[in-house]
Amino acid sequence: MQIREQWIDEAIKNIRKKMDWVSDKNKDIIPYTCAADGSYIDMSKKDPGDPKSEGINWWTNGFWGGLLWLLYEDTKDEKYKEYARISEKKLEECFVEYRGLHHDVGFMYMLTAVADYKITGNPHSREIGLHAANLLAGRFNIKGNFIRAWNLRDGEPHTGWAIIDCMMNLSLLYWAYEEDHDPRYLHIAKAHADTVLVNFIREDGSSEHIVEFDPVSGRRITSYGGQGYEKGSAWSRGQAWAVYGFTISYIHTKEEKYLEAAKKAAEYCISQIPKSGIIPIDFKQPKVPALEDSCAAAILASGLIELSVQIHPSKNARYRDAALLLLQTLAEDRSDFTQTCDAILKNCSASYHEKTHHIAMVYADYFFVEAIYKLNGTGRFMW
Ligand code: GLY
């Protein structure tokens, strides 16, 4: 898809200019959010003052590498490849700690080792990607047919918890199947996607964030609001994961049921996007306070573009137009292209009930840049 509009050209120019110095400044760390002075904080090391900090195992630690690979593809500047490989190398440390990694190995390794292998053919990166895929496959529970999300959370093992976000992690299994031709990866990815289709996606197209299964019998027990407003609500980033995740399952399997699920989830989101293009943390949250999540907007936009590509041009305009509204709003009203802050997008929120909102988040920048490059017709499909 290539769309020529002035604001897109402007956004690309701004992204290139900002990432040029941001990448030099932060090449030796793995950022997640910014400190009060606007500088990125290194997430690759445990914070000694925070017993919950996960250090190198933190789930967003692949997005920095992913962002650098996007810039490398766009500019062909060798420094981006060199910097991306610094974080890729650090992520290898994760394999030595058994309880450290979780289902987000998809996010972590698709955008680092697998991206490196796809772009440069690096054989070592291929090995790392396949190891990560094996770890993800190992989290599958044959009772209930779901991939276990997390390890310990608030002191509880939550062995029966699955979350909508995992639809994105399935990419790693599809890639491993396509790369290594072992159908186990495909079976597991599809079995999990089928479980989500039946147990997460509601009649109106909205999605649960967390569903709990009995890990012994596989019976569905209940759902939780998770990072959204409350049980039964519609956490906007979760809705975006559903749109993008089912589109990915369709791309890799060509099974119509996944395309239909992606369209259903997209229709729900489109029905909720306000004219302003500014996305709340939860589509069912109270109007006040007006809490936003620019990250959800960026993921949803990138997912909608990908979905529109799968649909005949006579029928895809509503998905593409919704994505354009979200991205233009982000580019013109929620971006910081100055040197006062390392991150681009403003007003991202990790979770409705967290104390801090409207922060910078590296994965918001990743999905924003990914989506803008798709509009330019130069973006690579990373999933
Ligand atoms: N995968 C966790 C989140 O979206 O915050």
Side-chain angles (χ1 to χ4, degrees), residues 95 109 113-114 124-134 172 175-176:
F95 293 136
Y109 296 92
V114 177
H124 179 69
S125 302
R126 179 181 184 275
E127 297 295 293
I128 296 298
L130 289 172
H131 270 299
N134 233 308
L172 185 60
W175 169 77

Side-chain angles (χ1 to χ4, degrees), residues 32 58-60 63 103-104 107 150 153 163 165-166 169 209 227 235 237-238 241 293 295 299 349-351 361 363:
Y32 164 58
W58 175 240
W59 78 276
T60 70
F63 290 103
H103 74 148
D104 286 326
F107 286 120
W150 298 306
R153 206 165 179 90
I163 68 172
D165 322 33
C166 190
N169 292 323
H209 181 198
Q227 284 158 254
W235 176 47
R237 198 157 64 248
W241 294 139
D293 183 18
C295 184
I299 298 162
S349 301
S351 163
M361 299 197 313
Y363 58 117

Side-chain angles (χ1 to χ4, degrees), residues 32 44 61 79 104 131 137 140 145 182 212 229 273 291 372:
Y32 164 58
S44 68
N61 280 348
K79 78 170 179 182
D104 286 326
H131 270 299
F140 185 70
N145 287 321
D182 183 336
E212 179 174 9
Y229 178 58
I273 297 174
L291 298 176
I372 292 284

Side-chain angles (χ1 to χ4, degrees), residues 91-207:
L91 287 182
E92 287 184 29
E93 291 166 29
C94 298
F95 293 136
V96 298
E97 192 186 337
Y98 174 65
R99 276 272 175 250
L101 283 173
H102 34 67
H103 74 148
D104 286 326
V105 287
F107 286 120
M108 293 168 75
Y109 296 92
M110 277 308 282
L111 300 180
T112 53
V114 177
D116 189 347
Y117 171 63
K118 284 185 186 168
I119 294 168
T120 74
N122 184 355
H124 179 69
S125 302
R126 179 181 184 275
E127 297 295 293
I128 296 298
L130 289 172
H131 270 299
N134 233 308
L135 283 172
L136 185 57
R139 301 185 72 83
F140 185 70
N141 188 329
I142 58 166
K143 296 286 184 183
N145 287 321
F146 66 92
I147 293 172
R148 176 183 173 183
W150 298 306
N151 300 327
L152 272 185
R153 206 165 179 90
D154 300 324
E156 295 294 325
H158 296 309
T159 40
W161 281 23
I163 68 172
I164 189 66
D165 322 33
C166 190
M167 289 302 296
M168 297 295 291
N169 292 323
L170 300 185
S171 305
L172 185 60
L173 299 176
Y174 291 127
W175 169 77
Y177 165 62
E178 288 152 15
E179 192 55 38
D180 216 25
H181 309 294
D182 183 336
R184 287 176 310 144
Y185 294 117
L186 180 66
H187 296 326
I188 290 174
K190 287 195 338 181
H192 181 85
D194 291 345
T195 299
V196 172
L197 201 52
V198 174
N199 292 281
F200 283 65
I201 305 300
R202 307 181 187 122
E203 210 33 57
D204 66 356
S206 66
S207 173

Side-chain angles (χ1 to χ4, degrees), residues 316-382:
N316 71 5
R318 53 192 285 99
Y319 303 123
R320 193 196 55 223
D321 292 349
L324 286 173
L325 169 66
L326 295 172
L327 291 172
Q328 189 168 2
T329 306
L330 290 174
E332 293 179 348
D333 302 328
R334 291 293 180 269
S335 291
D336 180 342
F337 290 114
T338 71
Q339 297 223 358
T340 57
C341 175
D342 290 358
I344 298 172
L345 287 193
K346 301 186 280 193
N347 289 15
C348 304
S349 301
S351 163
Y352 187 89
H353 292 289
E354 230 159 63
K355 283 198 195 81
T356 316
H357 300 108
H358 298 185
I359 58 170
M361 299 197 313
V362 70
Y363 58 117
D365 285 13
Y366 170 81
F367 282 103
F368 175 64
V369 173
E370 181 191 87
I372 292 284
Y373 282 151
K374 283 179 187 174
L375 296 182
N376 195 36
T378 53
R380 169 185 284 269
F381 181 59
M382 304 284 272

